[in-house]
Amino acid sequence: MQSDIYSVTRLNTEIKGMLESNPAFRNVFVQGEISNYKAHPSGHHYMTLKDDGAAINAVLFRSDAARLRFRPENGMKVIARGRVSSFPKSGQVQLYLADMMPDGAGALHLAFEQLKQRLQAEGLFSQSHKRVLPRMPETIALITSPTGAAVHDMLHILARRWPLARVQIYPALVQGADAPADLRRALRLANTHGQAEVIVIGRGGGSLEDLWAFNDEGLARDIYASRIPVVSAVGHEPDVTISDFVADLRAPTPSGAAELITPDGTEVRAFLLQSDAVLGGGLTRAIERSRKRFDGMQERLALRTPLHAIADKHMLLAHQVERLLLRSPQYAIARKRERLSMLAERLHKLSLEQIENRRSRLAHGMTALDALSPLKVLTRGYAVASNEEGMAVRDSAALHIGDRLQVRFAQGEALCRVEETREDQWQKK
């Protein structure tokens, strides 16, 4: 009996089918070293995975490569996950990868170091680019979560240390996949308004994954290009992000940032009072010295030329004496003393008016901020539900039975699990 004769196409196609029908090959993990790596302009990544005894070709398509948190390199040891199949046209067996991670090092740490080295080589961390912050800022912009503890800590410290400053809050997501784009939007908006003299961008502490939005390359380049000086205040003292390196100043915490960008109002007031006392004392001594000199000159003038005798001889001489007295140092000092007193009074009045205006603006801003605060709504009995990613839940249709929710009240919060979802009855009608 004559055996069935396969065409090459048929043979390769059946080989492909056999490989893909094997359950063990549909989701296989392979450990190996990358070689012949090539990133194609289309976004696909081609490479060979090898060990001491063999090698196999692999491809990572653009959609899957976009999720990588590190840049593959030749010689890098990785653990890759994918499916085994073949390319019928050439009959070549290869791996179609879904993702991979470095073998022996976390992908996030590797991605961080690679981006850090690349941006440093481009000069984004250069000290020559960093700007000096204003000593007494009149307007401060805060880019952070409007409901986090960080913004409340910064507002409290700013109000205590430097109540003359006007604070602008640009709300932004600080965690999750959408956070980098939202932070960049807020930073561009603050630069567009152009009112702030310094920008603080950051959030409270968390894990490396929680803080990852501040390691975004696009955000780093926007911070570098900002026309307004930027202070990075991310996490706690040991936490370091790419934003810290590229910002004009790195603060150990958000609270530390509020202290670094403002002077202590109590110390400034004490300095002004001391300066006023020193200036006043110096002016008093100068006037006293001038008065003594004038008295001495007047006495010598009286001894040399008796004024009453001159007046008896001729009225014209008396008029000349009067003009002489008007030009005397005592008369000039008296006029300057009067003008100095008037200027001092005007300066004091203007200082009081300016302080009162700034205090009024600060009180108005704090009132408006408090009225807009989401926490204000919570005090009226409402609550905010967030999913496990920290995103607010606005529609029950987005929930599933068993989902975990974090419910924030005016005082405290609770962790809940969804048992049932319902639609609004009025919407059905």
Side-chain angles (χ1 to χ4, degrees):
M1 182 176 179
Q2 185 178 5
S3 60
D4 193 8
I5 299 176
Y6 284 79
S7 67
V8 175
T9 299
R10 178 186 170 190
L11 178 63
N12 285 352
T13 300
E14 291 196 10
I15 292 174
K16 175 180 173 68
M18 292 175 60
L19 290 172
E20 293 184 347
S21 63
N22 189 336
F25 290 163
R26 293 175 185 171
N27 188 38
V28 62
F29 289 84
V30 179
Q31 183 181 40
E33 178 183 320
I34 295 176
S35 64
N36 301 322
Y37 172 74
K38 180 180 180 181
H40 197 271
S42 64
H44 305 324
H45 296 248
Y46 299 92
M47 68 197 78
T48 299
L49 294 181
K50 67 177 184 178
D51 57 19
D52 293 338
I56 186 171
N57 290 335
V59 59
L60 182 67
F61 292 125
R62 179 176 58 187
S63 58
D64 295 317
R67 294 194 297 269
L68 286 183
R69 290 179 170 176
F70 69 100
R71 184 179 58 195
E73 296 177 353
N74 285 324
M76 182 181 295
K77 296 184 182 299
V78 298
I79 298 177
R81 180 179 66 86
R83 60 184 176 87
V84 180
S85 185
S86 66
F87 187 54
K89 191 171 184 178
S90 64
Q92 186 178 53
V93 176
Q94 62 181 6
L95 284 170
Y96 291 84
L97 302 179
D99 57 41
M100 60 182 176
M101 64 174 292
D103 185 12
L108 291 181
H109 290 284
L110 180 60
F112 176 86
E113 290 300 328
Q114 288 180 342
L115 180 59
K116 176 183 172 184
Q117 293 175 9
R118 181 153 50 86
L119 296 184
Q120 185 173 22
E122 293 182 28
L124 267 69
F125 304 162
S126 173
Q127 289 294 327
S128 62
H129 181 75
K130 301 187 184 301
R131 291 158 293 187
V132 179
L133 304 185
R135 294 182 59 188
M136 298 181 181
E138 294 186 6
T139 304
I140 300 170
L142 305 181
I143 299 178
T144 187
S145 169
T147 60
V151 68
H152 295 288
D153 292 342
M154 287 190 285
L155 289 175
H156 175 74
I157 294 175
L158 292 175
R160 172 174 56 83
R161 286 180 59 87
W162 194 238
L164 297 180
R166 184 162 61 102
V167 180
Q168 299 174 331
I169 297 181
Y170 293 86
L173 297 174
V174 294
Q175 183 175 336
D178 297 329
D182 208 34
L183 289 167
R184 296 180 66 184
R185 174 199 56 78
L187 182 59
R188 288 194 294 267
L189 187 59
N191 274 270
T192 300
H193 289 170
Q195 298 173 348
E197 297 174 74
V198 61
I199 297 173
V200 179
I201 183 170
R203 55 155 289 166
S207 65
L208 178 61
E209 290 80 2
D210 294 338
L211 307 181
W212 193 253
F214 297 90
N215 291 323
D216 181 74
E217 180 177 353
L219 178 60
R221 295 188 183 278
D222 284 355
I223 292 175
Y224 182 81
S226 173
R227 294 184 293 104
I228 303 172
V230 178
V231 177
S232 177
V234 182
H236 301 302
E237 175 68 33
D239 299 322
V240 180
T241 66
I242 296 297
S243 296
D244 294 333
F245 291 110
V246 73
D248 296 286
L249 179 67
R250 184 241 176 181
T253 62
S255 299
E259 294 185 356
L260 287 174
I261 65 174
T262 56
D264 189 332
T266 303
E267 294 180 359
V268 172
R269 185 174 183 275
F271 173 77
L272 292 176
L273 291 175
Q274 181 182 9
S275 300
D276 180 69
V278 172
L279 180 60
L283 289 175
T284 300
R285 289 190 294 272
I287 292 173
E288 182 63 23
R289 288 194 297 269
S290 298
R291 186 188 65 78
K292 290 181 179 180
R293 289 178 57 193
F294 171 75
D295 291 343
M297 293 172 62
Q298 191 175 38
E299 290 178 1
R300 290 194 296 272
L301 180 62
L303 291 174
R304 292 178 182 177
T305 309
L307 296 181
H308 65 277
I310 297 176
D312 291 340
K313 289 182 178 181
H314 206 287
M315 291 296 295
L316 179 61
L317 293 178
H319 179 67
Q320 293 177 344
V321 169
E322 183 179 359
R323 293 179 59 189
L324 178 63
L325 289 176
L326 290 176
R327 294 197 301 268
S328 67
Q330 186 178 28
Y331 180 77
I333 291 173
R335 290 185 60 188
K336 292 184 179 296
R337 180 183 300 165
E338 180 180 356
R339 177 169 175 77
L340 179 61
S341 177
M342 180 182 65
L343 292 175
E345 183 178 355
R346 287 178 59 189
L347 178 60
H348 180 68
K349 183 178 179 181
L350 289 174
S351 299
L352 292 179
E353 290 179 354
Q354 186 176 19
I355 292 174
E356 184 60 30
N357 288 338
R358 291 181 180 274
R359 184 179 292 112
S360 176
R361 285 167 53 193
L362 177 63
H364 177 74
M366 293 297 289
T367 301
L369 177 63
D370 184 64
L372 294 175
S373 173
L375 298 179
K376 196 73 173 182
V377 178
L378 299 184
T379 60
R380 298 203 295 268
Y382 293 93
V384 176
S386 305
N387 58 25
E388 292 181 326
E389 288 74 30
M391 303 296 293
V393 178
R394 299 178 175 85
D395 189 349
S396 63
L399 298 175
H400 301 87
I401 303 303
D403 285 355
R404 298 183 63 187
L405 297 177
Q406 182 178 9
V407 182
R408 174 68 184 272
F409 306 98
Q411 297 292 332
E413 58 187 20
L415 294 178
C416 307
R417 188 179 298 276
V418 176
E419 295 184 356
E420 182 182 357
T421 61
R422 300 174 183 173
E423 298 182 358
D424 290 336
Q425 296 302 318
W426 65 271
Q427 290 182 341
K428 293 182 178 180
K429 297 178 181 180

